[in-house]
Structures are given as C-alpha cells and as structure tokens.
Amino acid sequence: MSLRVVFMGTPDFSVPTLMEIIGQGHEVVACYTQPPRPAGRGMEERPSPVEVKAEAFHIPVYTPRTLKSPIERESFLSHEADVAVVVAYGLILPKDILEAPVNGCLNLHASLLPRWRGAAPINRAIMAGDRETGVEVMRMEEGLDTGPVCMAEKLAIGADMTAGELHDALSRLGADLMGRALAALSRGALTSEPQAEDGVTYASKITKEETRIDWSRPAAEVHNHIRGLSPFPGAWCEVPRGESMERVKVLRSTLGEGSGKPGQVLDGLTIACGEGAVRLTQVQRAGKRPMEAEEFLRGSRIDQGTMLP
C-alpha cells in the first residue's frame, strides 16, 4: 500500500533515502529541508541536496527556520501524512509535529543506538576506534535519539576507512533499511523495541579546536582522528616549507613502523607518535587538490628528524 510521506532531510546523506521512498511508489507530499546557505568562493546561497532532488521530482519544498510557530504547525498538518521520514534534517521537531502524522515520525540514525546519539555519529565512531557501526530506524520522541528502534543493520568499519567512505556506505544501507521499514508499516507489521539503558554515548558536533593533530597521542588514536575527520572538516598539522610552516590537511593515513619523539619525521611522511608511528598517505594544501604523499614530497622536502609541532 502506498503511503503519504512527508520527507525531512538536508544533506547528501539524506538523498538515497528520498530516492528509495520515491522508487517504492510512496507519495511524497512534501519535503522539509534547511534553507539555502551561502557556499563556495562567491558565498552564493545554494539549496540543500534534498531540495535540489525534490524539485527535480516536482515535490513541494518547505524551508522553515523553525517548526514551533502555529503557522508552521497548521501547514504541516495540512499534508495529512501517514508518516514523516526524518534523515539528518537539522531542526528539532516539537511534540505537536511528532504527533501530527497518523503513524508518527520515523528517523534514520547512523549508529547502533544507544551508542552515539547526537549530531556526529559517523565521525565519533571512527575517532573512538569502533570496529562496527550501522543504521537504525526508530520512532521519534521528544528526547535526543531516545525513541524505540524498529529495524537495524550493522556494518563493519575497516581499519583505514574514512568518515567519508563510511558516510556513503551507511547512506546506501540506510535507504534500503528505511524502504523495508515503510513496506512493513504499510502492511501494519512495523514493530519497535525500547533502546537499552546501558551503553549510552553522545556524538557531539565536531569543533575546530579538536581538528589539529596531537602527535603525543598513541599512533592508533592519531590514525583514528585523521580518518574520522576525513574529508571534512579534516585533521591538520603544520609542516616546514622553506623558512616558514605550512598548514596541511591530512586525508588518509595508516599505521606506520618505527618510533621516536612525538612529531618526529622518521621517513618521508611517517611521523612518530606518543606510541608507534603513523604514515600519512594523502594530504591537501590549502586551496589545492588532494595529493598522494609521494607527490607532496616531490614539492616539499621534509628531512628525516624534522620535528612537527
């Protein structure tokens, strides 16, 4: 049975789920997304990826800055939705919005709840060295990612997998999972179970202050830090270039061999850490394209024994 769906999402992560819902033949009666934001060198306002895709399918798009006003509530109620599907939308849904659709609101979350509730579950899972994560469909309630879970799929995190790679894999997996959840809902067969009370962790937003690489940490933690922030916002360090220091974003690394003082260049772009070493394999200068370590070193000589701050 086809459902009347209000879709609520904003970034690239949300798009595969929207496409899955459309592909299944459900009627997407409205798309809610964040307003256009300034982006690029010209800082021109750009619509969200969800808005672009929704307009391509002639779906009405709404970009309210809040859902708390009576006007927005009445507008939302007018859609007469069977269910709302929420995927990385970016606005808090008040109680009257959560209760408006006949079957409430289903959220796709990129972690195995109750681990990594909050804004940055993909980054935090890698930064913490987790070997497994996943996606879950849950029924939304007023708490932060506290609702009962309907369906889940697990995914292994590779030793060198970046946040960008995990993001894309979970986005595809999540779209399929939400598609199955809506199919079950349409048959009246979608059930849910409360989250466990133990093991709750929170995935706070990434701040600029935590993006600099700290060579005093063990190599495994440095490696997880790098890949957990790749490609955005990107972990960074300073390397010598001529008589000055140059800030470089590190996009890929792997565990290296050797040891030394934290920040000491052992060989090429193998850097000693508090314990062990990491080998930087892909880096990016400000305003330039990403490049492999070998290419970078052809234009920037870094002598063995150099100490990176």
Side-chain angles (χ1 to χ4, degrees):
M1 184 181 73
S2 174
L3 297 168
R4 286 178 61 84
V5 179
V6 169
F7 186 81
M8 311 179 82
T10 297
D12 289 319
F13 185 86
S14 314
V15 172
T17 301
L18 174 60
M19 297 305 298
E20 179 71 18
I21 294 170
I22 295 171
Q24 283 197 351
H26 298 296
E27 183 184 2
V28 183
V29 295
C31 267
Y32 281 70
T33 188
Q34 289 285 299
R37 306 291 190 194
R41 292 187 177 181
M43 295 303 288
E44 295 182 1
E45 288 198 340
R46 294 182 184 177
S48 75
V50 163
E51 181 173 352
V52 172
K53 189 63 67 175
E55 290 186 340
F57 283 87
H58 307 291
I59 300 169
V61 174
Y62 298 81
T63 59
R65 296 188 181 277
T66 179
L67 292 170
K68 296 180 179 180
S69 71
I71 293 176
E72 292 300 340
R73 178 181 179 277
E74 291 304 315
S75 175
F76 193 89
L77 286 169
S78 72
H79 303 310
E80 299 181 341
D82 293 314
V83 64
V85 172
V86 184
V87 186
Y89 176 35
L91 280 185
I92 294 174
L93 274 58
K95 184 177 180 180
D96 52 4
I97 296 293
L98 292 171
E99 296 176 348
V102 175
N103 294 286
C105 301
L106 297 180
N107 175 242
L108 179 69
H109 187 75
S111 80
L112 299 176
L113 295 165
R115 185 162 178 81
W116 302 129
R117 294 174 178 172
I122 295 174
N123 306 90
R124 296 298 178 188
I126 293 181
M127 293 169 76
D130 291 1
R131 295 185 179 183
E132 183 180 66
T133 187
V135 284
E136 294 190 341
V137 173
M138 68 173 177
R139 292 190 176 276
M140 295 182 70
E141 55 185 34
E142 287 186 272
L144 177 63
D145 299 330
T146 58
V149 174
C150 304
M151 289 183 172
E153 281 286 352
K154 296 180 179 180
L155 183 71
I157 302 176
D160 292 338
M161 181 180 259
T162 66
E165 292 167 338
L166 183 57
H167 167 284
D168 293 349
L170 291 177
S171 179
R172 295 188 296 268
L173 188 64
D176 176 74
L177 187 67
M178 184 60 77
R180 285 187 276 138
L182 291 181
L185 180 66
S186 69
R187 301 191 304 268
L190 186 65
T191 59
S192 60
E193 295 184 1
Q195 294 182 33
E197 294 182 3
D198 297 329
V200 176
T201 59
Y202 290 93
S204 57
K205 289 183 179 180
I206 304 297
T207 64
K208 291 182 179 179
E209 291 73 24
E210 63 182 312
T211 55
R212 181 167 187 159
I213 297 171
D214 180 0
W215 303 114
S216 69
R217 297 167 67 183
E221 292 184 11
V222 172
H223 175 52
N224 293 340
H225 180 246
I226 290 168
R227 63 196 186 99
L229 296 178
S230 176
F232 182 82
W236 62 276
C237 64
E238 291 184 324
V239 300
R241 190 176 190 186
E243 298 299 320
S244 61
M245 300 296 287
E246 175 186 22
R247 178 166 165 165
V248 173
K249 183 187 291 188
V250 183
L251 298 176
R252 290 187 182 274
S253 63
T254 190
L255 294 178
E257 297 182 355
S259 62
K261 296 179 180 179
Q264 184 179 9
V265 177
L266 302 179
D267 178 35
L269 284 182
T270 299
I271 316 298
C273 301
E275 293 178 12
V278 294
R279 182 164 57 89
L280 313 184
T281 58
Q282 188 181 60
V283 298
Q284 184 177 16
R285 288 193 171 101
K288 304 295 183 180
R289 61 175 177 81
M291 62 181 72
E292 302 305 306
E294 294 78 9
E295 181 183 357
F296 176 82
L297 288 170
R298 284 198 292 269
S300 298
R301 179 177 175 177
I302 303 177
D303 295 328
Q304 186 175 350
T306 298
M307 296 297 299
L308 303 186

